[in-house]
Amino acid sequence: MVRWNMKEESERVHYSLNFKLYAQDKFFGPGVAQLLRKVDETASLRSAAADLKIAYSKAWNMIRTAEKSLGYDLLIKKVGGKHGGGAQLTPEGRAMLDKYTAFEKAIYQSADVMWGKIFPEFAVTGSDTLAPQVETIEHASIGVGAILMASGFSRRMGYNKLLLNLGEGSVAEHILDQIQRQRYAAVTVVSQYAEILEMARQRGFLSVMNKQADEGKSSSIRLGLKTMAKIEEIKGYIFFTGDQILLSDELLERLRNTFITHPDKIIYPEYEGKFGSPVIFPADLAPELVSLKEEQGGRFVADQHSDRLLPVPVQPGWQGLDFDCPEDWEKVRQLWNYRKQDNGKHLDKE
């Protein structure tokens, strides 16, 4: 039996960057950026400081120091709000935060490439650092990490189905964008295809090159879980395949919210009375998932814990459709086009 050594994974050689902006002295860095994001979320500097476990006076000092160096206000006082008064970002403050975040992401993407080239013996992938994901974990979907398994061979399709055109991008781009909208605590994309991994990196996701794809879906599960093993905040993992383009955002939100209220349960969508994907597994089942062999999937583990299964009924049931051959693709694509034409107003109720 394969045993998952969490300590061994957490001690794997990796790198971390921590960049800051200076005038004469440091005035803007990860701490200020995180504080501004919290203010944007809570509409209160006091609440933001409390959530981040720093003194209110220290929070104000951080903001004032940055404002002095920048020459403009980052926050303005707000009357009313959740806590009877608070603060909000100024247009200049929001622009500064957006620029810093974009620069941070670009720096990590460049560093990831060099890390993989210069230290290939240490790199699981070209994107080995967890820092960008961990930095904003408080603002993400609490406790749920997402893993996209995109290593299949598409043999029956005769072509990489993730690269099929949906009109405004590929299947893979649609799936990745939908996952991004959910703001999971962390996202890992496992694939044997460089173009898919590049799409993941462009969205700030962790990416893992799967060199054992011929071992079956268990290899993607194993690599995805081990890559996120260091993120203690994750209490559950949701597993996506790359060919369910009809899932609604509302369904994904229901799955996540059900898990948040029942974190000890295996949460799955029930399509017309049948077990379906994507499934959220509690983190304590990770060792069993890592131990899966060849084409065994999460359903194998779920069947061993029938007392922990909690279904989320889904209507319409066709949201769970996937495709493995041209005939399936044509059916799914037609449903996709019909729903897009009426914005889901009628089809999603059928």
Side-chain angles (χ1 to χ4, degrees), residues 105-160:
K105 182 180 292 186
I107 290 293
Y108 271 107
Q109 288 175 348
S110 298
D112 286 344
V113 173
M114 298 309 299
W115 173 254
K117 289 181 179 179
I118 298 174
F119 293 101
E121 69 273 27
F122 297 140
V124 170
T125 74
S127 179
D128 195 38
T129 177
L130 298 180
Q133 294 282 346
V134 175
E135 185 65 42
T136 59
I137 201 164
E138 292 88 354
H139 320 289
S141 176
I142 298 173
V144 179
I147 297 173
L148 173 60
M149 302 177 293
S151 299
F153 289 90
S154 302
R155 291 189 176 96
R156 292 175 60 193
M157 181 63 68
Y159 178 79
N160 187 346

Side-chain angles (χ1 to χ4, degrees), residues 148 157 159-179 196 199 203 241-246 323 329 332-333 336:
L148 173 60
M157 181 63 68
Y159 178 79
N160 187 346
K161 59 185 177 181
L162 298 181
L163 300 180
L164 289 169
N165 193 339
L166 271 178
E168 296 180 356
S170 65
V171 167
E173 289 173 305
H174 166 73
I175 298 293
L176 290 168
D177 288 343
Q178 184 174 50
I179 291 174
I196 303 298
M199 293 177 191
R203 290 162 175 79
T241 60
D243 57 359
Q244 286 185 294
I245 63 173
L246 298 174
F323 57 94
W329 165 243
V332 169
R333 188 179 63 82
W336 161 270

Side-chain angles (χ1 to χ4, degrees), residues 66-82:
E67 290 177 338
K68 181 178 179 181
S69 295
L70 290 168
Y72 54 76
D73 292 339
L74 295 173
L75 299 178
I76 56 176
K77 292 182 178 180
K78 180 181 177 184
V79 178
K82 294 181 181 178

Side-chain angles (χ1 to χ4, degrees), residues 8 42 50 55 99 178 207 245 275 307 326 338:
E8 178 182 322
T42 64
K99 290 178 182 179
Q178 184 174 50
S207 60
I245 63 173
F275 186 98
D307 58 321
Y338 290 151

Side-chain angles (χ1 to χ4, degrees), residues 146-153 160-162 175-176 179 187-193 196-197 208 210 216-225 238-244 277-279 281 289 292 294-299:
I147 297 173
L148 173 60
M149 302 177 293
S151 299
F153 289 90
N160 187 346
K161 59 185 177 181
L162 298 181
I175 298 293
L176 290 168
I179 291 174
V187 179
T188 294
V189 177
V190 184
S191 182
Q192 62 170 317
Y193 304 106
I196 303 298
L197 297 179
V208 182
N210 188 354
K217 67 180 68 173
S218 63
S219 63
S220 290
I221 294 173
R222 181 170 60 252
L223 288 170
L225 286 170
I238 183 169
F239 292 86
F240 288 90
T241 60
D243 57 359
Q244 286 185 294
S277 295
V279 181
F281 288 89
L289 291 164
L292 292 170
E294 299 177 345
E295 282 299 328
Q296 288 180 332
R299 180 65 184 272

Side-chain angles (χ1 to χ4, degrees), residues 70 72-74 89-98:
L70 290 168
Y72 54 76
D73 292 339
L74 295 173
L89 273 63
T90 63
E92 295 84 1
R94 187 174 301 280
M96 179 62 190
L97 178 60
D98 289 345

